Amino acid sequence: MAELTPMERVLTVLSGKIPDRVPLFLLFSMYGAKECNMDIKEYFNDVDAVVDTQLMLQKKYHTDCLYTFSYASIETEAFGGDTIFYPQGPPNAGAPIITSSKDIDSLASPDVASSEPLRRILRITQKLKAAVGDTIPIIGVVMSPFSIPVMQMGFESYLKLLHKDRPRFNRLMQCNKKFCIEWANAQLGAGATAICYFNPLASTDMIEKGLYLQTGYPIDCEVIKNIQGPTATHLASGRTQSILGELAQSGTYIVAVSGKDSLANIKKTSPLTIMGNLCGISMSSWNKTETKQHVKAALELGMPGGRFILADNHGEIPWQVEEETLLTISECVADWGTYSREQNKE
Amino acid sequence: MIADVTDLTSQLVAALKNLDSLQSKQIMKTIENEHTDPYPVIEQILIQSLEQIGLEWEEGTAALSQVYMSGIIVESLITQHFKEARSHHPQDKKIGIVTLADQHTLGKKLVSMMLFAQGYQISDLGQGLTPEQIALAVSEQGIDILLVSSLMLPAALQVKKIKILTWGFYKNYCGWSSLPFESTLVERGWR
């Protein structure tokens, strides 16, 4: 089979057919700053640096996507929050913008066009689209309305709201839903091919299934329906297996699974394309032999029948992962990720 | 016939996971009615139940929200009903708890609730502290046992620095992280 472009490869997988080889998504956010030797905050503020680095990383590691994600709290910045930057790790949301549940009563959904940080992401998206056209998928990112409150008000306060104040929970969801749909569609309008829909709280590691199905799930289904492009639901390392059936019914195209999930079981039960599930944390200590072992094991479980994209399980390559490890992953995909002619005919 | 402690623990685990505070209270009342000295039994069942739910979270059969809400219910049971009667753990060491380098405080809260249920008194040293600030707080407050919480990988890897900074005057650490399944962190961060 002739070598496909990354876009052709990914679209082949999404259509349920067998591509030339397994697509590789190495999701580089802050890792770009490491690669171009910049301070993380300066890097994310520099549109051209991010664009150039994304293009460079795609070529260097032979990955099959570009990734416009910078850090999760860029969305709470749009709500008036701030971000704390660290030298060698992902930025954290600053102090909660909702300090009392009463604040929710007057909370307004921010206007995407009025947020400079979000406009910066849109400029990155536009420039990447201008550079690659339809040859490489550009992945945008939103936080689910159900998960972003962890940053808006702190995890503990949000759990109390979820369990004890349903009217204000509903109001917060209305506000977040409007923002999420507008933000996702703005990215698609700027040239993103698909939206990575981060929703760690949908994992049964975080919220019990019954409560999620009653509260967050209908919201997620509605949002995904209103996003005018394909979505990949990502539980950011949270286990997926026990909620997989419901996620498959939510309208999403791809589900990213955890390193703690059994890829074999997931592949047996999921009608969707699966993305995963290399553990980013342990990846940061793998030597070359271990890297090969982990990639080989994931490919052996994930490749049969297609519908598989090799990626890390958190949606972000940690700063601490060695360049050699990433190069080895890429080499392994080239060596072992190719489908045979017989498999292509299946 | 006196109800079996194991049965009562199973009942309480189920009630806590269902966030059923009324049923939880009812189980406590059953113990009070059946035992002449009920509080050691109550304490044992509360602790075993929280430990069981914590283990189920690690195994993937309970959610973090259930761990947290169970802690809240148990905390409420203790403060509302057994505050006077409960035994305080004999404690000749001062325990401090802190979130290292980042702002994720839920882990600290969960461990604090667990220790509270066991009768321990804990000093909260704060959140988002650097290893240097933690070493200073340990020294100034005379902390004997330090509990360190971290969520982000770079923070977890800084624990060694606390050990180096407090080397010579401090020996008791207990670390955990939101990455409980990542065994390499033990070598890289905690030892």
Side-chain angles (χ1 to χ4, degrees):
Chain A
M1 190 178 187
E3 188 176 339
L4 302 175
T5 65
M7 183 69 89
E8 289 167 338
R9 187 170 295 124
V10 172
L11 289 177
T12 303
V13 167
L14 288 180
S15 70
K17 294 177 183 161
I18 304 292
D20 54 345
R21 69 158 171 82
V22 165
L24 172 64
F25 282 13
L26 291 176
L27 300 173
F28 294 117
S29 53
M30 71 191 148
Y31 203 87
K34 181 183 178 183
E35 286 267 354
C36 64
N37 200 24
M38 282 179 77
D39 170 80
I40 289 174
K41 187 176 180 180
E42 280 176 29
Y43 172 72
F44 284 134
N45 279 328
D46 188 334
V47 169
D48 290 329
V50 173
V51 170
D52 292 347
T53 307
Q54 278 293 316
L55 295 170
M56 179 271 287
L57 292 170
Q58 189 274 327
K59 284 193 175 72
K60 178 175 176 180
Y61 295 106
H62 305 287
T63 66
D64 291 292
C65 73
L66 300 165
Y67 196 43
T68 61
F69 178 62
S70 52
Y71 48 91
S73 59
I74 202 162
E75 293 193 12
T76 46
E77 286 181 14
F79 279 87
D82 60 4
T83 296
I84 302 166
F85 288 86
Y86 299 98
Q88 297 183 350
N92 283 185
I97 52 164
I98 298 168
T99 53
S100 153
S101 59
K102 288 179 187 165
D103 293 348
I104 294 168
D105 300 344
S106 56
L107 190 72
S109 179
D111 174 29
V112 169
S114 303
S115 164
E116 170 50 27
L118 300 186
R119 287 205 307 269
R120 207 164 54 230
I121 300 294
L122 295 178
R123 287 200 298 277
I124 291 168
T125 310
Q126 287 161 347
K127 287 194 169 201
L128 287 173
K129 178 71 175 176
V132 303
D134 289 329
T135 60
I136 305 173
I138 299 166
I139 311 297
V141 165
V142 295
M143 301 296 129
S144 156
F146 185 63
S147 288
I148 194 175
V150 173
M151 291 188 294
Q152 290 173 313
M153 59 192 305
F155 206 162
E156 201 180 340
S157 301
Y158 181 45
L159 286 175
K160 285 179 181 164
L161 182 85
L162 184 60
H163 286 95
K164 295 179 177 175
D165 192 349
R166 205 53 66 81
R168 283 204 173 100
F169 166 79
N170 290 336
R171 188 175 191 294
L172 180 60
M173 290 303 106
Q174 288 303 318
C175 188
N176 289 350
K177 203 162 57 177
K178 181 175 180 295
F179 169 71
C180 183
I181 294 168
E182 187 186 336
W183 174 220
N185 288 335
Q187 291 178 75
L188 291 166
T193 316
I195 296 296
C196 184
Y197 188 78
F198 272 112
N199 197 8
L201 265 56
S203 170
T204 47
D205 279 344
M206 307 303 279
I207 302 288
E208 61 267 35
K209 185 175 176 177
L211 182 61
Y212 169 63
L213 292 181
Q214 192 189 5
T215 55
Y217 183 66
I219 292 156
D220 290 326
C221 291
E222 188 186 339
V223 170
I224 289 169
K225 189 178 157 193
N226 282 284
I227 292 177
Q228 293 156 3
T231 57
T233 297
H234 206 306
L235 307 194
S237 309
R239 287 180 180 93
T240 306
Q241 179 76 69
S242 47
I243 197 78
L244 192 60
E246 286 78 5
L247 296 181
Q249 298 296 316
S250 69
T252 201
Y253 281 61
I254 299 173
V255 173
V257 303
S258 170
K260 298 191 286 281
D261 281 312
S262 159
L263 206 46
N265 288 343
I266 294 267
K267 282 285 290 184
K268 271 185 216 159
T269 50
S270 172
L272 300 177
T273 296
I274 295 302
M275 186 167 116
N277 69 341
L278 302 174
C279 174
I281 301 297
S282 61
M283 188 189 289
S284 61
S285 65
W286 290 347
N287 60 30
K288 191 156 187 157
T289 306
E290 288 166 333
T291 305
K292 287 181 175 181
Q293 287 168 347
H294 284 285
V295 176
K296 191 169 190 180
L299 291 175
E300 283 175 359
L301 294 170
M303 281 178 69
R307 287 205 182 275
F308 179 63
I309 296 169
L310 185 71
D312 83 289
N313 78 335
H314 192 71
E316 178 172 71
I317 299 294
W319 178 284
Q320 287 72 17
V321 174
E322 297 290 339
E323 176 189 43
E324 192 194 353
T325 302
L326 297 171
L327 288 168
T328 303
I329 291 172
S330 180
E331 287 164 17
C332 290
V333 170
D335 290 345
W336 300 323
T338 306
Y339 285 96
S340 66
R341 285 185 181 179
E342 290 71 29
Q343 287 168 315
N344 286 137
K345 285 176 191 167
E346 282 172 7
Chain B
M1 184 181 159
I2 294 176
D4 180 69
V5 168
T6 309
D7 286 345
L8 287 170
T9 303
S10 299
Q11 287 175 34
L12 185 61
V13 166
L16 290 172
K17 284 174 71 182
N18 286 328
L19 315 182
D20 190 340
S21 49
L22 287 177
Q23 176 63 13
S24 304
K25 200 188 287 182
Q26 188 54 47
I27 294 166
M28 298 299 106
K29 289 222 173 295
T30 304
I31 301 168
E32 278 185 300
N33 294 337
E34 290 179 351
H35 291 78
T36 47
D37 184 12
Y39 299 108
V41 182
I42 286 173
E43 201 166 79
Q44 183 191 354
I45 287 172
L46 289 176
I47 292 163
Q48 284 180 357
S49 299
L50 289 181
E51 284 179 352
Q52 175 63 32
I53 295 168
L55 283 171
E56 287 185 21
W57 177 63
E58 281 199 16
E59 291 163 358
T61 52
L64 192 59
S65 57
Q66 289 171 306
V67 178
Y68 173 74
M69 293 307 292
S70 300
I72 293 284
I73 292 170
V74 168
E75 198 174 58
S76 164
L77 284 172
I78 291 170
T79 51
Q80 286 176 24
H81 302 286
F82 314 119
K83 199 169 184 179
E84 302 305 318
R86 72 191 287 238
S87 63
H88 284 283
H89 202 282
Q91 191 174 330
D92 59 350
K93 305 281 187 195
K94 192 169 179 186
I95 303 173
I97 191 164
V98 69
T99 304
L100 167 62
D102 69 39
Q103 306 296 321
H104 298 85
T105 57
L106 191 67
K108 185 176 73 169
K109 176 71 178 173
L110 292 174
V111 174
S112 297
M113 287 193 299
M114 183 67 163
L115 290 169
F116 174 79
Q118 299 192 39
Y120 286 100
Q121 314 265 345
I122 311 164
S123 300
D124 187 347
L125 305 185
Q127 68 208 45
L129 271 62
T130 63
E132 289 80 4
Q133 289 169 323
I134 292 171
L136 186 63
V138 164
S139 168
E140 284 180 351
Q141 296 189 36
I143 300 296
D144 297 302
I145 298 172
L146 177 64
L147 310 175
V148 184
S149 171
S150 62
L151 178 81
M152 316 301 282
L153 176 60
L157 297 175
Q158 285 187 56
V159 173
K160 264 185 185 165
K161 200 168 175 186
I162 304 175
K163 294 182 75 171
I164 292 165
L165 289 167
T166 57
W167 193 257
F169 70 90
Y170 189 73
K171 285 180 184 165
N172 300 297
Y173 305 88
C174 177
W176 76 95
S177 136
S178 67
L179 315 159
F181 311 104
E182 179 38 50
S183 57
T184 62
L185 281 179
V186 176
E187 283 301 325
R188 296 158 70 197
W190 304 112
R191 276 192 191 151

